[in-house]
Every structure is written in C-alpha cells, then in structure tokens.
Amino acid sequence: MNATIESNPLIERLPKHLKQFIKPQDYEEYTPINQAVWRYVMRKNVDYLSKVAHSSYLEGLKKTGIEINNIPSMYGMNRILKEIGWAAVAVDGFIPPNAFMEFQAYNVLVIASDIRQLEHIEYTPAPDIIHEGAGHAPIIANPEYAEYLRRFGEIGCKAISSARDYEIYEAIRLLSILKEAEGTPQDEIEAAEKRVDELQNDMGELSEMALIRNLHWWTVEYGLIGTVEDPKIYGAGLLSSIGESAWCMTDNVKKLPYDINAAYQSFDITKLQPQLFVTPDFAHLSLVLEEFANKMALRTGGLSGIQKLINSNALGTIELSTGVQISGVFTNVIESEGKPVYIQAKGGTALAYREKELVGHGTSYHAEGFGSPIGKLKGINLAIEDMSPRDLKAYGVYEGERVTLEFEGDITVSGEIITGTRNIQGKIILISFKDCTVTNGDKVLFQPEWGTYDMAVGKKVVSAYSGPADVNSFDLITHVPSSKTIKAKKSAQREELEGLYQNIRNIRDGVANTISIEDTFKKLKENHSNDWLLSVEITELLNQNKQQELLNEVLLHLDEVKKKRPEIAHLIEGGLELIFEKEKIS
C-alpha cells in the first residue's frame, strides 16, 4: 500500500524547487496505535462536527475520500482529489511559509504525513495527517473556498519576508517537533519555547509574510463562518482538534467579525486561541484577501517595495513599468524626492519579461550583480519607454551612437549604445552599452573596464515581491530544515502493545486466527494498565457482540484508569459516549 508521489497530473507540473519538499508516504509505517488514534479522532469529530461545522465538511469527507476507520492513503486521496481539480503531497512537518503557499497556488494540498502520538490525541502543535487530511481536505471540496485557498497561495507566496521570519519558522518547527516527540526532556521544550517567545517578542515591524500568515491562521487554520452569535467551523486547526473544536464554541473564546485587522492579530500555536474571527461567507474571505494584496509591494512597488526586498536579504523581484523584471538579492537603492532613481542587486541576477528569462540575461551573465537607473531623463517629460523609434533617434538613443543620458536624481549613463531589446508591444525594455560609465554625482556606479553595461528601462517600479520572476533562473533546490521529525521509539513493551491493538483491529475486520478479545484484554490489563484507547475499542466490540460479563469487567478497568489518570478521563468518557449514545439512538 506504499504510495508513490506520481499520482496526480497536478503534482507533475510542480516546479523542482517545490518537489524537493515532497516525500513518499510510507503507509506501512503507520502502526496499529496510529490507526486507532485516527479512528478515535475521526469518529469523535464526525459525531460532533456534524452539528457545528460548515455544511461543506461532511460532504467534503465523502468527496475527498477520507475514511473514518483508516488513515488515508495519498494515492487514494489523489485519485479522488483529481476529480475536484486538486492534489495532495506528503511532507516532513512544517515547511517554509512561502513554499507552503506556493503549493496552494498550484492547487496542491501539503500534508504532513506523520500522525500525532496517542498522548497528544486532542491537539498537537506539529502538523500531522489528521490536521491536514481530515482538516484541510474536506473543505476544499467547496469550490468557492477552494478558489480562495488557491488565490491565497498565489498572493501569499509573493509576500516579502524579513530576515527574522525564517528564524521564527525554524524555531517553531523545532518546538513543534520536540513537543510531539515521545519523552522529550522538559528543559528542552522550555528552551525551545523560550526561543520562540524571544523571537516573537522582538519582531519589530511585521513583514508582509508575517501579516499574511496571520490572515492564513485566522481563516484557513482557525476560521469560523456565519454570524458572531451562531458561527460554524471551517478552519482546519479546529476541524482536526477534538479539544479545541468544542472549546471554541463556548463563551470562553471571543468571536470577532473577520476583516483586514486580523492581519495584525498574532497567534501562538502552542496554546488555545483566546479569540477567533467569523466570516459571513467564503466570498468575504476573498474580499479581505484582495484588500490586503492591494497594500502589498506586489501591487504598490515603489521605493518602499524595494526597501522591503533589501531588508529581507533574500531573493526577490522588482518589475518596472515596461514589464522588465529584475530578480536577485537587492542591496541598495538610491532615492530622490521619495522615488527610487537607481537599484542595485548583488551576486547572480536574472532579467525576465512576463516571467520568462530574457535570452542572454541569466545569473551566469549577471554573475556579479546588476544595477540600473529608474525614472525619466532630466528635463524631458517623455520617458524613454514612451519614446517612438523616431523620438529615440532624435534624442540620440540609437545603435552605434555615443550618448550621455542624465536621469532625474543625478544619475548619468554615458557610453556607446550596442543594441536595445524590445517587448512584444515594441517598447524598448533594455539598452546595452559599451565603454560605459554610470555615476551618481561624484560616485562611480559602473566603469568601462567592467564590460558591457545593460540598462533596464522603466519610469517606475510597479511591483516588488519575494522569489524570482522565472523559477528556472535560479537553483532553488537548497532548503534543508535544521530539524527532522522524531519517530516514536520502539521497545519490546511497545511492540507487544501494538500487537494487541492489531488483534482488536483484526477482530473488527473479521480476520481469522486472531487472539481472542478475552486474551487480548487480559494481556492489556497485566502489562499495559495505563493504556485507555484499546480498552475503549474492546468495549465497542463487546457491546456489539453482547458479551455483557466481559464488558462489565472492561468498564470497571476503564474506571480505574480514569482514577489513575484524571487528565484523560474526558477522553475515555468521549469514547464511551460514541458507543452507548449511538445504541440509545438506534
């Protein structure tokens, strides 16, 4: 039942830099206890969420092939998701926010294929298959929500991060792994929590990525829909948490109308949320997203957009009014009267037009970086990009001519024009010079001995965003998380308990030659007296088979476990309610 990742055409068209995060789902790694955890959570969720979740949830479970009794196979999910225009891939825990959102832009759902430990059955800060598969997948069967998710990914992956954002991502990833891992020393968890707190309390001005992640959290992860007085659940974090889905419906959690202010409300993944936002419908989510996008450098460009890219110290793109796109790590901008008049990128830089690299202008050619003036020529109202071929000739901007171009902001380009590159509309977007000097006042920005000078043409910066214009221009297959998810430890005692869970699973599935329920319970009681979930599963079978005498014995044992472990008493009671309440109803 091992699934390959080549199971849906949408996965095939993913760029290589996203495929690096995908891992195969090894279905055989799921243990009988894992399967029991899935089954318990799904049975509790479907029973409870049928009353409080958005109507799309139950319909979506059927449409996306999510079963109650078995952890979903990615192959099976992809076969069914294909029908609604989506796909799913397995990953290892948290992946960087830009990558997570870019997957969404390609209609691909990212699923952390690990599953929470029994000890964290109600909630885990680590992403797992319950959260992703049973939380995210069902709601994307709703077409309007699915389009919101895709659009969110398309916009979100262009959000510019700060240098601090990646540190926070790594710190949260590590904390979630340590909290979910079995037997992590408390001092390690506390140290990781302290690191996350320190970073979150020292963020300074929130980056675009931090703000849009807040919007993602309060909608996709923890969103409510309807009215403040009578909300329904649609956020995956709530749909996958049997504890918080009930908690969020109480008056302990403040309900607020969802609007753009949610972008400025931070969150803590390790705690229950003190407030949640309610959208009147899925269409309203898209309205708020577009309102936020209108404030992003993606749409505003300008000096502030370039400064955001410089502060990120990461690969980004600026697009000029002619459509020419410059992708690289931006280090400097010269400004005049609040406008950028010269931009500078360091190291490998690529030029593109309409997301396609310009021939001969890749990172190997611009290996030492790239700089160009932006704006109009001094004293001339007509920008270079708006000049006709006749205008260009009149101003001496012509092949083979030596020309001195004085730009506003005291930028001067002086050299012999080799050639110009035009876009599909015939506008000139790039001019190449030889024997060229570029200055800003007394400061030399480019000198003849450096070779050919390529000048991007554009009167203003219309867009600035994270990542390259053409993903093929850069080697983006570089991400290696500093932390790996930790698998549950194996021991003889654990192996025996897994075997007992498998016995009960076999009996439920009608598999022959299985140890009896009586013998299974006897071993459980003797060697694993603290375990509670298997006793609940045994109770279900005994009740179905009308084995009253042994049933009474198991119920007495569960009472003892509740006394010994009061912190899980409500989980036992929740499991028994499913068994006996259904009996009353039927």
Side-chain angles (χ1 to χ4, degrees):
M1 202 168 172
N2 287 359
T4 60
I5 61 173
E6 293 79 28
S7 49
N8 186 308
L10 288 173
I11 298 170
E12 289 304 304
R13 70 185 183 98
L14 288 172
K16 289 178 185 176
H17 71 276
L18 290 182
K19 287 183 178 177
Q20 70 179 312
F21 296 103
I22 301 173
K23 67 168 195 173
Q25 179 197 30
D26 188 350
Y27 199 89
E28 301 306 317
E29 281 192 2
Y30 296 123
T31 69
I33 293 177
N34 293 156
Q35 293 284 2
V37 166
W38 171 272
R39 185 169 181 269
Y40 178 92
V41 172
M42 288 305 296
R43 290 178 78 223
K44 284 295 293 176
N45 274 358
V46 171
D47 179 66
Y48 175 67
L49 292 172
S50 60
K51 308 178 192 84
V52 299
H54 186 264
S55 58
S56 299
Y57 174 73
L58 290 179
E59 295 164 24
L61 282 176
K62 295 171 194 165
K63 284 183 183 174
T64 51
I66 307 291
E67 294 180 35
I68 289 174
N69 286 328
N70 300 292
I71 294 170
S73 142
M74 302 294 283
Y75 178 78
M77 278 186 73
N78 271 312
R79 198 178 64 246
I80 296 165
L81 284 171
K82 188 167 133 182
E83 301 303 313
I84 58 172
W86 279 73
V89 294
V91 298
D92 181 45
F94 279 116
I95 65 172
N98 287 85
F100 180 87
M101 292 187 194
E102 195 174 355
F103 271 109
Q104 284 180 196
Y106 282 94
N107 283 31
V108 174
L109 200 60
V110 173
I111 294 183
S113 56
D114 288 335
I115 186 166
R116 65 194 64 178
Q117 298 297 313
L118 175 54
E119 290 71 25
H120 304 142
I121 196 166
E122 283 190 283
Y123 170 79
T124 174
D128 76 335
I129 197 163
I130 292 177
H131 172 80
E132 318 277 12
H136 285 293
I139 298 296
I140 63 167
N142 179 295
E144 191 154 32
Y145 180 76
E147 173 54 20
Y148 167 70
L149 202 62
R150 185 203 66 77
R151 184 69 171 153
F152 199 108
E154 193 172 54
I155 292 169
C157 71
K158 302 291 190 186
I160 301 171
S161 300
S162 70
R164 181 57 52 98
D165 285 333
Y166 197 78
E167 284 184 77
I168 286 181
Y169 153 70
E170 286 281 16
I172 288 175
R173 177 182 164 87
L174 177 62
L175 175 59
S176 70
I177 289 169
L178 293 177
K179 277 202 157 192
E180 176 56 26
E182 200 177 345
T184 304
Q186 188 58 32
D187 60 338
E188 280 188 41
I189 292 175
E190 286 172 4
E193 284 178 331
K194 186 182 175 189
R195 178 64 179 150
V196 169
D197 285 342
E198 285 171 352
L199 289 170
Q200 287 183 331
N201 292 329
D202 186 29
M203 284 289 288
E205 186 179 349
L206 292 180
S207 69
E208 288 182 349
M209 178 52 74
L211 292 170
I212 206 165
R213 277 185 67 229
N214 286 346
L215 287 184
H216 194 271
W217 182 264
W218 298 122
T219 60
V220 175
E221 297 295 352
Y222 278 80
L224 298 175
I225 187 167
T227 64
V228 168
E229 296 74 28
D230 182 28
K232 300 292 184 188
I233 296 171
Y234 74 90
L238 297 172
L239 292 174
S240 60
S241 170
I242 55 179
E244 198 155 8
S245 60
W247 169 258
C248 79
M249 288 288 119
T250 69
D251 291 338
N252 295 306
V253 178
K254 189 176 180 183
K255 315 299 190 301
L256 302 167
Y258 178 65
D259 60 26
I260 199 166
N261 291 314
Y264 301 92
Q265 178 63 59
S266 59
F267 60 88
D268 184 339
I269 68 160
T270 67
K271 295 181 175 70
L272 294 169
Q273 306 309 311
Q275 77 284 304
L276 295 173
F277 293 87
V278 187
T279 183
D281 48 44
F282 289 140
H284 182 68
L285 298 179
S286 296
L287 287 176
V288 173
L289 176 61
E290 293 301 324
E291 185 183 353
F292 180 82
N294 285 337
K295 298 173 184 292
M296 289 172 62
L298 174 67
R299 293 185 182 172
T300 61
L303 180 62
S304 65
I306 300 169
Q307 286 171 332
K308 284 178 182 178
L309 283 178
I310 291 169
N311 293 339
S312 75
N313 195 29
L315 176 62
T317 297
I318 66 166
E319 182 173 328
L320 304 185
S321 43
T322 52
V324 68
Q325 296 157 319
I326 305 158
S327 299
V329 178
F330 292 89
T331 55
N332 189 36
V333 59
I334 300 171
E335 61 178 286
S336 175
E337 298 179 1
K339 294 178 183 177
V341 294
Y342 195 88
I343 54 95
Q344 182 71 50
K346 69 176 181 181
T349 307
L351 307 184
Y353 180 74
R354 289 187 173 176
E355 288 72 52
K356 189 174 168 87
E357 186 180 293
L358 292 173
V359 175
H361 290 283
T363 55
S364 56
Y365 178 70
H366 296 291
E368 301 301 317
F370 181 85
S372 181
I374 297 163
K376 293 181 177 179
L377 296 172
K378 194 183 292 183
I380 302 174
N381 281 331
L382 195 63
I384 292 175
E385 67 188 74
D386 297 323
M387 291 180 181
S388 67
R390 186 171 291 175
D391 292 326
L392 289 167
K393 189 166 186 180
Y395 285 110
V397 184
Y398 205 72
E399 290 172 21
E401 296 288 332
R402 184 160 193 89
V403 66
T404 295
L405 302 174
E406 293 185 29
F407 287 84
E408 293 174 347
D410 204 17
I411 305 292
T412 302
V413 178
S414 182
E416 184 182 327
I417 296 176
I418 303 170
T419 188
T421 302
R422 297 182 186 274
N423 65 17
I424 200 73
Q425 284 83 27
K427 285 191 173 186
I428 195 153
I429 59 174
L430 198 66
I431 301 173
S432 298
F433 298 82
K434 66 180 180 181
D435 190 24
C436 186
T437 302
V438 182
T439 58
N440 173 219
D442 295 332
K443 186 177 180 183
V444 176
L445 303 174
F446 190 93
Q447 46 199 33
E449 52 267 36
W450 293 354
T452 301
Y453 179 69
D454 299 289
M455 183 183 83
V457 176
K459 59 189 169 190
K460 62 180 179 179
V461 174
V462 296
S463 181
Y465 55 86
S466 174
D470 184 339
V471 295
N472 297 310
S473 294
F474 294 83
D475 178 11
L476 302 174
I477 307 174
T478 54
H479 180 75
V480 180
S482 62
S483 49
K484 297 280 185 188
T485 52
I486 301 166
K487 306 296 182 188
K489 297 185 182 86
K490 291 187 177 179
S491 65
Q493 188 180 30
R494 177 78 175 207
E495 292 295 311
E496 183 186 54
L497 182 59
E498 295 280 8
L500 298 178
Y501 270 86
Q502 186 63 53
N503 285 343
I504 296 304
R505 188 173 177 80
N506 289 345
I507 291 168
R508 190 189 311 113
D509 294 343
V511 177
N513 303 318
T514 300
I515 300 170
S516 69
I517 297 177
E518 292 90 339
D519 288 344
T520 301
F521 177 62
K522 186 180 175 186
K523 281 191 177 180
L524 178 70
K525 199 173 171 185
E526 285 173 1
N527 301 334
H528 311 279
S529 59
N530 276 333
D531 184 85
W532 63 273
L533 181 54
L534 187 54
S535 293
V536 170
E537 294 218 323
I538 289 171
T539 298
E540 184 186 357
L541 288 176
L542 293 174
N543 189 53
Q544 287 171 1
N545 299 341
K546 310 291 186 198
Q547 292 174 258
Q548 197 60 46
E549 190 177 336
L550 185 55
L551 175 59
N552 290 339
E553 193 181 331
V554 176
L555 290 173
L556 283 171
H557 171 67
L558 281 169
D559 281 337
E560 289 300 313
V561 176
K562 281 197 281 186
K563 285 173 192 168
K564 276 197 295 183
R565 301 184 63 195
E567 73 280 2
I568 52 94
H570 65 290
L571 295 172
I572 294 172
E573 286 159 11
L576 296 179
E577 277 170 19
L578 283 174
I579 298 163
F580 297 113
E581 286 294 322
K582 283 196 173 146
E583 187 180 59
K584 283 179 196 171
I585 292 165
S586 58

